[in-house]
Amino acid sequence: MNHELLIALALKKPGTSLRYPFEPDLPVLYVGSKMFALLGHQSGVPSVNLKADPDTIWLMRQTYPDTVLPGYHMNKRHWNTVILNGKLADEELENMLEESYQLVRRNLSKAEKEAIWGPGQ
């Protein structure tokens, strides 16, 4: 998995956009007005910061200790940094991307949810 594939997967999700709010070489994926994936590099290796459930975030870190780390420059209780070093199965990374999207989507305002997904969302 690499940044380009992650971006392509994410942009298929409703309400997502790709922006560069920090630096021109630091892409950020948003759902509505909130970020759910920050793509960067750790020691020259591609990485992605993803939101995760605070009650289970430790499990991925223990299962993949050299690949899933506390979120770099993020709230470590809510964010993981995933090193894209090939040690994490693509399917697992896709699940983590989906979880991040859903966690952030859940916290959008009612008005923003309705603007993206329609009434009753």
Side-chain angles (χ1 to χ4, degrees):
M1 185 69 68
N2 59 40
H3 284 168
E4 291 77 23
L5 289 172
L6 276 174
I7 290 168
L9 284 170
L11 290 176
K12 291 179 183 177
K13 299 177 184 310
T16 61
S17 62
L18 178 64
R19 303 180 199 167
Y20 296 83
F22 307 116
E23 296 178 23
D25 62 342
L26 195 62
V28 180
L29 290 160
Y30 284 78
V31 55
S33 63
K34 297 184 182 278
M35 84 165 85
F36 72 96
L38 173 72
L39 294 92
H41 291 83
Q42 291 291 314
S43 302
V45 179
S47 65
V48 60
N49 286 2
L50 298 168
K51 193 160 190 172
D53 181 345
D55 294 331
T56 59
I57 202 166
W58 59 272
L59 182 59
M60 291 303 288
R61 292 177 188 169
Q62 288 196 343
T63 304
Y64 302 98
D66 297 328
T67 302
V68 181
L69 311 169
Y72 183 70
H73 285 296
M74 305 294 272
N75 180 327
K76 286 151 184 49
R77 178 167 152 64
H78 295 275
W79 291 84
N80 279 325
T81 295
V82 181
I83 309 300
L84 304 179
N85 57 12
K87 294 181 181 179
L88 185 68
D90 287 355
E91 182 179 343
E92 191 68 56
L93 186 55
E94 289 176 32
N95 290 339
M96 292 175 77
L97 181 70
E98 179 66 21
E99 178 184 32
S100 185
Y101 172 82
Q102 292 298 335
L103 286 169
V104 173
R105 173 186 167 167
R106 213 177 298 161
N107 290 319
L108 295 175
S109 70
K110 180 178 179 181
E112 196 166 9
K113 287 178 188 175
E114 288 183 354
I116 296 169
W117 295 283
Q121 295 297 317

